[in-house]
Amino acid sequence: MKKEAITVQSVDRALQIIEILQQIPQGLGVTELSNRLDVSKSTAHRLLMSLYNKGFVQQDHQTEKYMLGLKFIEVGQVVTDNLDIRKIASPYLHQLTEITGETAHLAIMDKHEIVYIDKLESNATIRMFSNIGKRAPIHCTGIGKSIFAFLQDEKIEEVITEAGLRKYTEKTLITKEAMLENIQLIRKRGYSIDDEEHEAGIKCAAAPIFNHQGEVIAGISVAGPIMRVTEEKLEMMAKEVLRVSNELSKLLGA
């Protein structure tokens, strides 16, 4: 048991070194690390050598300071590649539908459109029509605008220029000026609203999901018919999708 405890303590200290070096990109020397860990220099050096031999830390031979190694790029890429946004978001879609009583969607951007990649239907008799795999415009759907607003400005200009702002209802924003103004509002409050802009009779609240690099990679929304989605309920829906999108983004490292 004693040997096991010592082994676990060594693992814990090695992880502490990684966390410390993550916060100090320029690196630290053995003495500085031993002081921060409250261990002897020999113990700190032994731990560093274990991490060094596996590629998790590297040393600047001029300053003799240690910093995180290139192994983390490899490990990080594996983690990123294996993150299934649908699997991660699934329980949150259930949360949104249960809390709001309306249909929840998950979508990603493909070219100049959005594609619904998952949904959870409302149990209500009257529902909105949508299918997994369905494509929709990015500029007038709630979930589309939640992604659109957080793209780089150059990309936004490109989409507007190449795809245009087609009119779907009387409330669709069809001028560049109106669209850019709406984008600024979405960025300010963190969520978007589709007030019958894509389909007459349907209102939607949506928010963006970001990855570990701070890039918008998806959107999550709740939508329902205007007979149920009052202004008060729409406000509640917006609050919930923003909460969920923040939680999902944190899970993805944002």
Side-chain angles (χ1 to χ4, degrees):
M1 289 294 291
K2 185 176 180 182
K3 184 178 180 181
E4 183 182 345
I6 292 171
T7 302
V8 172
Q9 186 180 60
S10 296
V11 172
D12 186 59
R13 284 174 174 167
L15 292 173
Q16 281 183 271
I17 289 175
I18 291 169
E19 290 176 344
I20 291 169
L21 294 181
Q22 180 186 6
Q23 297 170 12
I24 306 174
Q26 67 270 24
L28 291 172
V30 177
T31 301
E32 294 169 300
L33 276 168
S34 66
N35 290 335
R36 285 173 179 262
L37 292 171
D38 194 23
V39 298
S40 67
K41 285 179 63 177
S42 62
T43 297
H45 187 263
R46 188 171 65 251
L47 292 166
L48 282 166
M49 284 302 96
S50 293
L51 293 169
Y52 179 86
N53 290 332
K54 294 293 184 180
F56 288 102
V57 299
Q58 57 187 338
Q59 186 183 33
D60 184 323
H61 295 293
Q62 289 187 329
T63 64
E64 296 189 342
K65 290 185 177 183
Y66 291 89
M67 57 204 72
L68 293 184
L70 299 177
K71 187 72 173 179
F72 282 101
I73 296 176
E74 179 185 336
V75 172
Q77 189 60 52
V78 171
V79 173
T80 301
D81 290 346
N82 284 282
L83 284 176
D84 184 342
I85 185 66
R86 288 182 63 188
K87 184 176 180 180
I88 296 170
S90 180
Y92 292 93
L93 291 176
H94 280 82
Q95 276 187 33
L96 288 173
T97 298
E98 186 176 339
I99 292 170
T100 66
E102 303 299 341
T103 299
H105 292 98
L106 180 70
I108 59 173
M109 181 179 177
D110 182 45
K111 297 179 181 177
H112 297 151
E113 299 177 303
I114 56 116
V115 180
Y116 293 102
I117 60 172
D118 206 358
K119 67 175 288 191
L120 192 65
E121 287 277 12
S122 162
N123 289 322
T125 304
I126 300 175
R127 312 170 190 173
M128 66 170 292
F129 174 75
S130 60
N131 285 319
I132 295 174
K134 178 185 176 183
R135 290 177 174 270
I138 197 169
H139 71 284
C140 59
T141 52
I143 203 165
K145 290 198 295 177
S146 73
I147 297 172
F148 195 30
F150 292 93
L151 297 175
Q152 294 292 326
D153 291 342
E154 296 80 8
K155 185 65 177 177
I156 290 172
E157 290 282 348
E158 176 190 309
V159 173
I160 292 175
T161 301
E162 295 184 9
L165 301 171
R166 177 185 163 189
K167 182 176 181 178
Y168 284 83
T169 74
E170 291 302 315
K171 293 188 176 183
T172 305
L173 302 178
I174 57 173
T175 67
K176 180 179 177 180
E177 292 72 22
M179 190 74 253
L180 294 178
E181 183 179 345
N182 192 230
I183 281 172
Q184 291 306 313
L185 178 61
I186 294 167
R187 287 178 174 178
K188 181 179 179 181
R189 60 190 182 187
Y191 65 86
S192 62
I193 296 294
D194 167 7
D195 183 13
E196 299 185 84
E197 295 163 46
H198 181 227
E199 295 180 62
I202 297 294
K203 289 189 177 185
C204 171
I209 299 170
F210 299 95
N211 67 10
H212 65 289
Q213 294 179 313
E215 301 165 331
V216 60
I217 58 167
I220 193 163
S221 71
V222 182
I226 57 173
M227 64 182 68
R228 288 198 305 267
V229 183
T230 62
E231 286 302 312
E232 183 179 0
K233 183 169 182 177
L234 187 62
E235 187 177 330
M236 180 271 284
M237 287 162 52
K239 180 181 177 182
E240 290 300 323
V241 293
L242 183 58
R243 174 186 64 81
V244 161
S245 71
N246 286 334
E247 291 183 20
L248 282 167
S249 296
K250 286 179 182 177
L251 287 175
L252 293 169

